[in-house]
Amino acid sequence: MAPYSHPVVPERLRRALESQGHRFTEQRGAVHRFLSGTDTHPTAEEVFRGVREELPAISLATVYKNLETLVACGMAIKLTYSDGSSRYDGRTDPHHHARCEQCGTVRDVPGNLPPEVVSELESCPSFQVTGYRLELTGVCSACS
């Protein structure tokens, strides 16, 4: 099986997994490698198709379980939508997204909100803000 392209990634992944009571497996490594190597915010099915190139015997159920484990360990983000669909993001640093309402494509948006805007938003009476997610919606250039 192909080694990781960057030696720091498996140790970081291993530590994150162990901190949540999980162990490192080649399947988890493959799902993490695929997710970390793309900026397309794939669905679980797209991750499954990509990981099968490396691990042909992996099942869709295993991919789903490993994606949820990576999310629980903070090594991936799950983007959920009101229609019940989900996409996954291997980029865990604070950033924003733009989603096409026609094709569902999700893209990273460069830049961040100024700290004063975030502070203003966090001052919501009778509610403790623990985070936020900004998503722009519209129509991508391919669909317009």
Side-chain angles (χ1 to χ4, degrees):
M1 284 172 229
Y4 283 96
S5 59
H6 193 286
V8 174
V9 174
E11 187 55 36
R12 183 172 167 243
L13 176 60
R14 195 177 312 276
R15 280 194 317 268
L17 288 165
E18 289 173 357
S19 75
Q20 297 295 312
H22 301 284
R23 62 184 182 85
F24 175 85
T25 64
E26 188 53 40
Q27 291 86 357
R28 286 186 181 130
V31 170
H32 182 262
R33 275 192 298 280
F34 179 83
L35 203 54
S36 296
T38 184
D39 63 357
T40 63
H41 307 82
T43 63
E45 291 81 7
E46 291 167 338
V47 174
F48 170 65
R49 286 193 298 270
V51 171
R52 280 192 52 183
E53 293 178 15
E54 182 181 341
L55 299 175
I58 197 166
S59 71
L60 179 58
T62 298
V63 169
Y64 269 107
K65 288 176 190 172
N66 284 307
L67 284 167
E68 293 304 320
T69 298
L70 292 174
V71 169
C73 293
M75 297 299 292
I77 295 171
K78 183 177 183 178
L79 306 170
T80 57
Y81 302 101
S82 60
D83 65 0
S85 65
S86 299
R87 292 183 168 271
Y88 295 86
D89 192 349
R91 186 176 160 193
T92 59
D93 63 304
H95 65 286
H96 310 299
H97 297 102
R99 182 173 54 92
C100 178
E101 294 174 319
Q102 290 187 11
C103 69
T105 299
V106 179
R107 294 187 172 91
D108 290 334
V109 175
N112 288 305
L113 291 176
E116 58 273 9
V117 172
V118 175
S119 295
E120 186 177 324
L121 292 173
E122 290 178 339
S123 63
C124 184
S126 304
F127 188 81
Q128 181 181 3
V129 177
T130 59
Y132 72 95
R133 182 173 109 180
L134 174 66
E135 180 177 81
L136 306 173
T137 56
V139 180
C140 71
S141 59
C143 291
S144 60

